[in-house]
Amino acid sequence: MIAYLRGRILSKASNAIIVDCNGVGYELAISITTFTELGAEGAEVKLHVHTHVREDALALFGFAELTEKRLFEKLLTISGIGPKLAITVLSGISAERLVGAIRAGDHATLTKIPGIGKKTAERVVLELKDKLDDMVGSTPETGARFSLGTVADDVLSALVNLGYARPVAQKAVETAAKDAAVAGDFEQLFRAAMSAVR
């Protein structure tokens, strides 16, 4: 089982990376969170790895932080959540906010993540709420919400509903909202954020 890789970035995309380890290229699926922490192609990278074995495939999932890997593995224990959905969940919300939402039983935050419906959110809270004592954040982060104002929150929600990962959408909205002329108008802010996210 591969648990850790160190090598050079051969190529990368927002959802995958190829790491060259002494002439052998390993392809790993990654979250947006890990993608944002990676250097440029050719840079050295260290990744914690989850090896997922099925009868017909062997897939590697890479994480810049050990906490994110452990949270990914906890998500896999829940019925109905496979590795692809688990990596999507971690792309849609930071590990700290996810832990905070689960501990607080915050179904509303969980259902904003693409691929997580009401029933899955309930299962996640029910099955993981008491199993996260060793994870990041000592208190539920119910107050640590994105807070540039109601209009910005609505634009962020719209981008996430369109399928953009929450961290990417949030950066785009923050960038667009720096322009005071558009910050208070949903349509203008939405257009500016769409331009920033591309």
Side-chain angles (χ1 to χ4, degrees):
M1 178 195 278
I2 299 168
Y4 179 82
L5 284 176
R6 186 178 75 189
R8 301 216 166 269
I9 299 172
L10 202 60
S11 68
K12 66 174 187 171
S14 59
N15 63 347
I17 182 175
I18 297 176
V19 181
D20 177 358
C21 300
N22 298 318
V24 179
Y26 293 90
E27 183 175 11
L28 303 98
I30 57 173
S31 69
I32 293 289
T33 308
T34 290
F35 175 77
T36 59
E37 294 184 32
L38 296 175
E41 290 182 6
E44 186 178 86
V45 65
K46 299 173 185 176
L47 293 172
H48 299 280
V49 180
H50 172 83
T51 305
H52 191 74
V53 182
R54 291 200 326 250
E55 281 183 29
D56 59 341
L58 187 142
L60 301 178
F61 295 83
F63 307 92
E65 302 294 332
L66 185 56
T67 300
E68 192 183 17
K69 177 190 173 184
R70 290 170 61 214
L71 203 45
F72 173 84
E73 289 171 341
K74 285 185 186 292
L75 288 169
L76 292 183
T77 65
I78 296 166
S79 171
I81 297 187
K84 284 186 180 175
L85 180 53
I87 209 84
T88 301
V89 169
L90 292 169
S91 289
I93 189 170
S94 72
E96 287 185 7
R97 284 197 63 209
L98 179 58
V99 170
I102 293 169
R103 284 182 176 153
D106 186 354
H107 297 110
T109 294
L110 295 173
T111 53
K112 286 178 183 172
I113 303 166
I116 296 289
K118 189 180 176 188
K119 286 186 178 177
T120 305
E122 288 169 357
R123 271 203 309 272
V124 168
V125 170
L126 183 68
E127 294 184 32
L128 295 185
K129 192 171 186 178
D130 300 323
K131 297 178 183 175
L132 300 176
D133 292 342
D134 58 342
M135 301 297 283
V136 288
S138 55
T139 55
E141 296 189 16
T142 48
R145 298 260 174 86
F146 184 67
S147 57
L148 280 177
T150 309
V151 174
D153 285 341
D154 290 346
V155 171
L156 174 61
S157 182
L159 290 174
V160 169
N161 289 337
L162 285 172
Y164 291 100
R166 181 168 285 271
V168 172
Q170 188 166 321
K171 273 187 185 173
V173 174
E174 286 171 348
T175 301
K178 287 177 184 171
D179 182 352
V182 302
D185 183 281
F186 175 85
E187 194 171 323
Q188 288 185 49
L189 184 58
F190 180 75
R191 282 192 186 139
M194 284 291 285
S195 297
V197 87
R198 286 177 185 149

